[in-house]
Amino acid sequence: MKFIGDVFRLLRKTTWPSRKQGWTDFVSVIEYTAFFVVLIYLFDLVVSQGIYQLIQFLR
């Protein structure tokens, strides 16, 4: 049970972000996620079109 007590003690010592900072961090995570989704989508589109054209060329 010492472990659980230590966990709660550590959680009490933790400095938690304010509500405003929490939302700011959440929005930042969503923005970065959207950016990388678009980046990966464009990369996938370019690669798939390149592979398709290569297959058409080799036929």
Side-chain angles (χ1 to χ4, degrees):
M1 289 309 234
K2 184 172 176 2
F3 173 74
I4 297 199
D6 289 343
V7 168
F8 282 112
R9 197 171 308 113
L10 183 64
L11 286 174
R12 268 186 255 139
K13 290 181 182 178
T14 302
T15 304
W16 298 101
S18 65
R19 182 177 293 264
K20 182 179 179 182
Q21 185 61 44
W23 277 107
T24 302
D25 294 344
F26 175 74
V27 170
S28 296
V29 168
I30 297 300
E31 288 173 348
Y32 284 116
T33 302
F35 171 75
F36 282 109
V37 165
V38 170
L39 187 69
I40 291 169
Y41 172 75
L42 291 175
F43 179 74
D44 180 57
L45 191 63
V46 168
V47 169
S48 64
Q49 289 296 322
I51 290 173
Y52 179 74
Q53 289 178 1
L54 181 64
I55 291 170
Q56 292 299 322
F57 177 73
L58 295 175
R59 276 188 160 177

Coordinates of all heavy atoms in Angstrom, one line a residue:
M1 N 0.8 -1.2 0.0 CA 0.0 0.0 0.0 C 0.9 1.3 0.0 O 0.3 2.3 -0.2 CB -0.9 0.0 1.2 CG -2.0 -1.0 1.1 SD -2.9 -0.8 -0.5 CE -4.5 -0.7 0.0
K2 N 2.1 1.1 0.3 CA 3.0 2.3 0.3 C 3.0 2.9 -1.1 O 3.1 4.1 -1.2 CB 4.4 1.9 0.7 CG 5.4 3.0 0.8 CD 6.6 2.6 1.5 CE 7.7 3.5 1.6 NZ 7.6 4.8 1.1
F3 N 3.0 2.1 -2.1 CA 3.0 2.6 -3.5 C 1.9 3.5 -3.8 O 2.0 4.6 -4.3 CB 3.0 1.4 -4.5 CG 2.9 1.8 -5.9 CD1 4.0 2.4 -6.6 CD2 1.7 1.7 -6.6 CE1 3.9 2.8 -7.9 CE2 1.6 2.1 -7.9 CZ 2.7 2.7 -8.6
I4 N 0.7 3.1 -3.4 CA -0.5 3.9 -3.7 C -0.5 5.2 -2.9 O -0.8 6.3 -3.4 CB -1.8 3.1 -3.4 CG1 -1.8 1.9 -4.3 CG2 -3.0 4.0 -3.4 CD1 -3.1 1.2 -4.5
G5 N 0.0 5.2 -1.7 CA 0.2 6.4 -0.9 C 1.2 7.3 -1.6 O 1.0 8.5 -1.6
D6 N 2.3 6.8 -2.1 CA 3.3 7.6 -2.7 C 2.7 8.2 -4.0 O 3.0 9.3 -4.3 CB 4.5 6.7 -3.1 CG 5.3 6.4 -1.9 OD1 5.1 7.0 -0.8 OD2 6.1 5.4 -2.0
V7 N 1.9 7.5 -4.7 CA 1.3 8.0 -5.9 C 0.4 9.2 -5.6 O 0.5 10.3 -6.2 CB 0.4 6.9 -6.7 CG1 -0.4 7.5 -7.7 CG2 1.3 5.9 -7.2
F8 N -0.5 9.1 -4.6 CA -1.3 10.2 -4.2 C -0.5 11.4 -3.7 O -0.8 12.6 -3.9 CB -2.4 9.8 -3.2 CG -3.5 9.0 -3.8 CD1 -3.7 7.7 -3.6 CD2 -4.4 9.7 -4.7 CE1 -4.7 7.0 -4.1 CE2 -5.4 9.0 -5.3 CZ -5.6 7.6 -5.0
R9 N 0.6 11.1 -3.0 CA 1.4 12.2 -2.5 C 2.1 12.9 -3.6 O 2.1 14.2 -3.7 CB 2.5 11.6 -1.6 CG 3.2 12.6 -0.7 CD 4.1 12.0 0.4 NE 3.4 11.0 1.2 CZ 3.7 9.7 1.2 NH1 4.7 9.2 0.5 NH2 3.0 8.8 2.0
L10 N 2.5 12.2 -4.6 CA 3.1 12.8 -5.8 C 2.1 13.6 -6.6 O 2.4 14.7 -7.1 CB 3.7 11.7 -6.7 CG 4.5 12.2 -7.9 CD1 5.7 13.0 -7.6 CD2 4.8 11.0 -8.8
L11 N 0.9 13.1 -6.7 CA -0.1 13.9 -7.4 C -0.5 15.2 -6.7 O -0.8 16.2 -7.4 CB -1.4 13.0 -7.6 CG -1.3 11.9 -8.6 CD1 -2.6 11.0 -8.5 CD2 -1.1 12.4 -10.0
R12 N -0.4 15.2 -5.4 CA -0.7 16.4 -4.6 C 0.4 17.4 -4.8 O 0.2 18.6 -4.8 CB -0.9 16.1 -3.1 CG -2.3 15.9 -2.8 CD -2.5 15.8 -1.3 NE -2.7 14.4 -1.2 CZ -2.3 13.4 -0.4 NH1 -1.8 13.6 0.5 NH2 -2.4 12.2 -0.3
K13 N 1.6 17.0 -5.0 CA 2.8 17.9 -5.2 C 2.9 18.4 -6.6 O 3.5 19.4 -6.9 CB 4.1 17.1 -4.9 CG 4.3 16.8 -3.4 CD 5.6 16.1 -3.3 CE 5.9 15.7 -1.8 NZ 7.2 15.0 -1.7
T14 N 2.1 17.8 -7.5 CA 2.2 18.2 -8.9 C 1.5 19.5 -9.1 O 0.5 19.8 -8.6 CB 1.5 17.1 -9.8 OG1 2.1 15.8 -9.6 CG2 1.6 17.5 -11.3
T15 N 2.2 20.3 -9.9 CA 1.6 21.6 -10.3 C 0.7 21.4 -11.6 O 1.3 21.1 -12.6 CB 2.7 22.7 -10.6 OG1 3.5 22.8 -9.4 CG2 2.1 24.0 -10.9
W16 N -0.6 21.5 -11.4 CA -1.5 21.3 -12.6 C -1.7 22.6 -13.3 O -1.7 23.6 -12.7 CB -2.8 20.7 -12.0 CG -2.6 19.4 -11.4 CD1 -2.6 19.2 -10.0 CD2 -2.4 18.1 -12.0 NE1 -2.3 17.8 -9.8 CE2 -2.2 17.2 -11.0 CE3 -2.3 17.7 -13.3 CZ2 -2.0 15.8 -11.2 CZ3 -2.1 16.4 -13.6 CH2 -1.9 15.4 -12.5
P17 N -1.9 22.5 -14.6 CA -2.2 23.7 -15.4 C -3.5 24.3 -15.1 O -4.4 23.5 -14.6 CB -2.1 23.2 -16.8 CG -2.4 21.8 -16.8 CD -1.8 21.3 -15.5
S18 N -3.7 25.6 -15.3 CA -5.0 26.2 -15.1 C -6.0 25.7 -16.2 O -5.6 25.1 -17.2 CB -4.9 27.7 -15.1 OG -4.5 28.1 -16.4
R19 N -7.2 26.0 -16.0 CA -8.2 25.6 -17.0 C -7.9 26.3 -18.4 O -8.0 25.6 -19.4 CB -9.6 26.1 -16.5 CG -10.7 25.7 -17.5 CD -12.1 26.1 -16.9 NE -12.4 25.3 -15.8 CZ -13.2 24.2 -15.7 NH1 -13.6 23.8 -16.9 NH2 -13.4 23.6 -14.6
K20 N -7.5 27.5 -18.3 CA -7.2 28.2 -19.6 C -5.9 27.6 -20.3 O -5.9 27.4 -21.5 CB -6.9 29.7 -19.3 CG -6.6 30.5 -20.5 CD -6.3 32.0 -20.2 CE -6.0 32.8 -21.4 NZ -5.7 34.2 -21.2
Q21 N -4.9 27.3 -19.5 CA -3.7 26.7 -20.0 C -4.1 25.3 -20.6 O -3.5 24.8 -21.6 CB -2.6 26.6 -19.0 CG -1.3 26.0 -19.5 CD -0.7 26.9 -20.6 OE1 -0.7 28.1 -20.5 NE2 -0.3 26.3 -21.7
G22 N -4.9 24.6 -19.9 CA -5.4 23.2 -20.4 C -6.0 23.3 -21.7 O -5.7 22.5 -22.6
W23 N -6.9 24.3 -21.9 CA -7.6 24.4 -23.2 C -6.6 24.9 -24.3 O -6.7 24.4 -25.4 CB -8.7 25.4 -23.1 CG -10.0 24.8 -22.6 CD1 -10.5 25.0 -21.4 CD2 -10.8 23.9 -23.3 NE1 -11.7 24.2 -21.3 CE2 -11.8 23.5 -22.4 CE3 -10.7 23.3 -24.5 CZ2 -12.8 22.6 -22.8 CZ3 -11.7 22.4 -24.9 CH2 -12.7 22.0 -24.0
T24 N -5.6 25.7 -23.9 CA -4.6 26.2 -24.9 C -3.8 25.0 -25.3 O -3.5 24.8 -26.5 CB -3.7 27.2 -24.2 OG1 -4.5 28.3 -23.8 CG2 -2.7 27.7 -25.2
D25 N -3.4 24.1 -24.4 CA -2.6 22.9 -24.8 C -3.5 22.0 -25.6 O -3.0 21.4 -26.6 CB -2.2 22.2 -23.5 CG -1.2 23.0 -22.7 OD1 -0.6 24.0 -23.2 OD2 -1.0 22.7 -21.5
F26 N -4.8 21.8 -25.3 CA -5.6 21.0 -26.0 C -5.8 21.5 -27.5 O -5.7 20.7 -28.4 CB -7.0 20.9 -25.4 CG -8.0 20.1 -26.2 CD1 -8.0 18.8 -26.2 CD2 -9.1 20.8 -26.8 CE1 -8.9 18.0 -26.9 CE2 -10.0 20.1 -27.5 CZ -9.9 18.7 -27.6
V27 N -6.0 22.8 -27.7 CA -6.1 23.3 -29.0 C -4.8 23.2 -29.8 O -4.8 22.8 -31.0 CB -6.5 24.8 -28.9 CG1 -6.4 25.5 -30.3 CG2 -7.9 24.9 -28.4
S28 N -3.7 23.3 -29.1 CA -2.4 23.1 -29.8 C -2.2 21.7 -30.3 O -1.8 21.4 -31.4 CB -1.2 23.4 -28.8 OG -1.2 24.8 -28.4
V29 N -2.6 20.7 -29.4 CA -2.6 19.3 -29.8 C -3.4 19.1 -31.1 O -3.0 18.4 -32.0 CB -3.0 18.4 -28.7 CG1 -3.2 17.0 -29.1 CG2 -1.9 18.5 -27.6
I30 N -4.6 19.6 -31.1 CA -5.6 19.5 -32.2 C -5.0 20.1 -33.5 O -5.0 19.5 -34.6 CB -6.9 20.1 -31.9 CG1 -7.6 19.3 -30.7 CG2 -7.9 20.0 -33.1 CD1 -7.8 17.8 -31.0
E31 N -4.4 21.3 -33.3 CA -3.7 21.9 -34.5 C -2.6 21.1 -35.0 O -2.5 20.9 -36.3 CB -3.2 23.3 -34.1 CG -4.3 24.3 -33.9 CD -3.8 25.6 -33.3 OE1 -2.7 25.7 -32.9 OE2 -4.6 26.6 -33.3
Y32 N -1.7 20.6 -34.2 CA -0.6 19.8 -34.7 C -1.1 18.5 -35.3 O -0.6 18.1 -36.3 CB 0.4 19.5 -33.5 CG 1.3 20.6 -33.1 CD1 1.2 21.2 -31.9 CD2 2.2 21.1 -34.0 CE1 2.0 22.2 -31.5 CE2 3.0 22.2 -33.6 CZ 2.9 22.7 -32.4 OH 3.7 23.8 -32.0
T33 N -2.1 17.9 -34.7 CA -2.7 16.7 -35.3 C -3.3 17.0 -36.7 O -3.0 16.2 -37.6 CB -3.8 16.1 -34.4 OG1 -3.2 15.9 -33.1 CG2 -4.4 14.9 -34.9
A34 N -4.0 18.0 -36.8 CA -4.6 18.4 -38.1 C -3.5 18.7 -39.2 O -3.6 18.2 -40.3 CB -5.5 19.6 -38.0
F35 N -2.4 19.3 -38.7 CA -1.3 19.6 -39.6 C -0.7 18.3 -40.1 O -0.4 18.2 -41.3 CB -0.3 20.5 -38.9 CG 1.0 20.7 -39.7 CD1 1.0 21.5 -40.8 CD2 2.1 20.0 -39.4 CE1 2.2 21.6 -41.5 CE2 3.3 20.1 -40.1 CZ 3.3 20.9 -41.2
F36 N -0.4 17.4 -39.2 CA 0.3 16.2 -39.6 C -0.7 15.3 -40.4 O -0.2 14.5 -41.3 CB 0.9 15.5 -38.4 CG 2.2 16.1 -38.0 CD1 2.2 16.8 -36.8 CD2 3.3 16.0 -38.8 CE1 3.4 17.5 -36.4 CE2 4.5 16.6 -38.4 CZ 4.5 17.3 -37.2
V37 N -2.0 15.3 -40.1 CA -2.9 14.6 -41.0 C -2.9 15.0 -42.4 O -2.8 14.2 -43.3 CB -4.4 14.7 -40.4 CG1 -5.4 14.2 -41.4 CG2 -4.5 13.8 -39.1
V38 N -2.9 16.3 -42.6 CA -2.8 16.9 -43.9 C -1.5 16.6 -44.6 O -1.5 16.2 -45.8 CB -3.1 18.4 -43.9 CG1 -2.8 19.1 -45.3 CG2 -4.5 18.7 -43.5
L39 N -0.4 16.7 -43.9 CA 0.9 16.4 -44.4 C 1.0 14.9 -44.8 O 1.5 14.6 -45.9 CB 2.0 16.7 -43.3 CG 3.4 16.6 -43.8 CD1 3.7 17.7 -44.8 CD2 4.3 16.7 -42.6
I40 N 0.5 14.0 -44.0 CA 0.6 12.6 -44.3 C -0.4 12.3 -45.5 O 0.0 11.5 -46.4 CB 0.2 11.7 -43.1 CG1 1.4 11.9 -42.1 CG2 0.0 10.3 -43.4 CD1 1.1 11.3 -40.7
Y41 N -1.5 12.9 -45.5 CA -2.4 12.7 -46.7 C -1.8 13.1 -48.0 O -1.9 12.4 -49.0 CB -3.7 13.5 -46.4 CG -4.7 13.4 -47.6 CD1 -5.4 12.3 -47.9 CD2 -4.8 14.6 -48.4 CE1 -6.2 12.3 -49.0 CE2 -5.6 14.5 -49.5 CZ -6.3 13.4 -49.9 OH -7.1 13.3 -51.0
L42 N -1.2 14.3 -48.0 CA -0.5 14.8 -49.2 C 0.6 13.9 -49.6 O 0.8 13.6 -50.8 CB -0.1 16.2 -49.0 CG -1.2 17.3 -48.9 CD1 -0.6 18.7 -48.6 CD2 -2.0 17.3 -50.1
F43 N 1.4 13.4 -48.7 CA 2.5 12.5 -48.9 C 2.0 11.2 -49.5 O 2.5 10.7 -50.5 CB 3.3 12.3 -47.7 CG 4.5 11.3 -47.9 CD1 5.6 11.7 -48.5 CD2 4.4 10.0 -47.4 CE1 6.7 10.8 -48.7 CE2 5.4 9.1 -47.6 CZ 6.6 9.5 -48.3
D44 N 0.9 10.7 -48.9 CA 0.3 9.5 -49.4 C -0.3 9.7 -50.8 O -0.1 8.8 -51.7 CB -0.8 9.0 -48.5 CG -1.5 7.7 -48.9 OD1 -0.8 6.7 -49.1 OD2 -2.7 7.7 -49.1
L45 N -0.9 10.8 -51.1 CA -1.4 11.1 -52.4 C -0.3 11.1 -53.5 O -0.4 10.5 -54.5 CB -2.2 12.4 -52.4 CG -3.0 12.8 -53.6 CD1 -4.1 11.8 -53.7 CD2 -3.6 14.2 -53.4
V46 N 0.8 11.8 -53.2 CA 1.9 11.9 -54.1 C 2.5 10.5 -54.3 O 2.8 10.1 -55.5 CB 3.0 12.9 -53.6 CG1 4.3 12.8 -54.3 CG2 2.4 14.3 -53.6
V47 N 2.7 9.8 -53.3 CA 3.4 8.4 -53.4 C 2.4 7.5 -54.2 O 2.9 6.8 -55.1 CB 3.7 7.8 -52.0 CG1 4.1 6.4 -52.2 CG2 4.8 8.6 -51.4
S48 N 1.1 7.5 -53.9 CA 0.2 6.6 -54.6 C 0.1 7.0 -56.1 O 0.0 6.1 -56.9 CB -1.1 6.6 -53.9 OG -1.8 7.8 -54.0
Q49 N 0.1 8.2 -56.4 CA 0.0 8.7 -57.8 C 1.3 8.3 -58.5 O 1.3 7.9 -59.7 CB -0.2 10.2 -57.9 CG -1.6 10.6 -57.5 CD -2.7 10.0 -58.4 OE1 -2.5 9.9 -59.6 NE2 -3.8 9.6 -57.8
G50 N 2.4 8.4 -57.8 CA 3.7 8.1 -58.4 C 3.8 6.6 -58.7 O 4.2 6.1 -59.8
I51 N 3.3 5.8 -57.8 CA 3.3 4.3 -58.0 C 2.4 3.9 -59.1 O 2.7 3.1 -59.9 CB 3.0 3.6 -56.6 CG1 4.1 3.7 -55.7 CG2 2.7 2.1 -56.9 CD1 3.8 3.2 -54.3
Y52 N 1.2 4.6 -59.1 CA 0.2 4.3 -60.2 C 0.8 4.6 -61.5 O 0.7 3.8 -62.5 CB -1.1 5.1 -59.9 CG -2.1 4.9 -61.0 CD1 -2.8 3.7 -61.1 CD2 -2.4 5.8 -61.9 CE1 -3.8 3.5 -62.0 CE2 -3.3 5.7 -62.9 CZ -4.0 4.5 -63.0 OH -5.0 4.3 -64.0
Q53 N 1.5 5.8 -61.7 CA 2.1 6.1 -62.9 C 3.2 5.2 -63.3 O 3.4 4.9 -64.5 CB 2.6 7.6 -62.9 CG 1.4 8.6 -62.9 CD 1.9 10.0 -62.8 OE1 3.1 10.3 -62.7 NE2 0.9 11.0 -62.7
L54 N 4.0 4.8 -62.3 CA 5.0 3.8 -62.6 C 4.5 2.5 -63.1 O 5.0 1.9 -64.0 CB 5.9 3.6 -61.3 CG 7.0 2.6 -61.4 CD1 8.1 3.2 -62.4 CD2 7.7 2.4 -60.0
I55 N 3.4 2.0 -62.5 CA 2.8 0.8 -63.0 C 2.3 1.0 -64.4 O 2.4 0.1 -65.3 CB 1.6 0.3 -62.0 CG1 2.2 -0.1 -60.7 CG2 0.8 -0.8 -62.6 CD1 1.2 -0.3 -59.6
Q56 N 1.7 2.1 -64.7 CA 1.2 2.4 -66.0 C 2.3 2.4 -67.0 O 2.2 2.0 -68.2 CB 0.4 3.7 -66.1 CG -0.9 3.6 -65.3 CD -1.9 2.6 -65.9 OE1 -2.0 2.4 -67.1 NE2 -2.5 1.9 -65.0
F57 N 3.4 3.0 -66.6 CA 4.6 3.1 -67.5 C 5.2 1.7 -67.8 O 5.6 1.5 -68.9 CB 5.7 4.0 -66.8 CG 6.9 4.1 -67.6 CD1 7.0 4.9 -68.7 CD2 8.1 3.5 -67.2 CE1 8.2 5.0 -69.4 CE2 9.3 3.6 -67.9 CZ 9.3 4.4 -69.0
L58 N 5.2 0.9 -66.8 CA 5.8 -0.5 -67.0 C 4.9 -1.4 -67.7 O 5.4 -2.5 -68.2 CB 6.2 -1.1 -65.6 CG 7.3 -0.3 -64.9 CD1 7.5 -0.9 -63.5 CD2 8.6 -0.3 -65.7
R59 N 3.7 -1.1 -68.0 CA 2.8 -2.0 -68.7 C 3.1 -2.1 -70.1 O 3.5 -1.7 -71.0 CB 1.3 -1.6 -68.6 CG 0.7 -2.1 -67.3 CD -0.7 -1.8 -67.4 NE -1.4 -2.6 -66.4 CZ -2.7 -2.6 -66.2 NH1 -3.4 -1.8 -66.8 NH2 -3.2 -3.4 -65.3

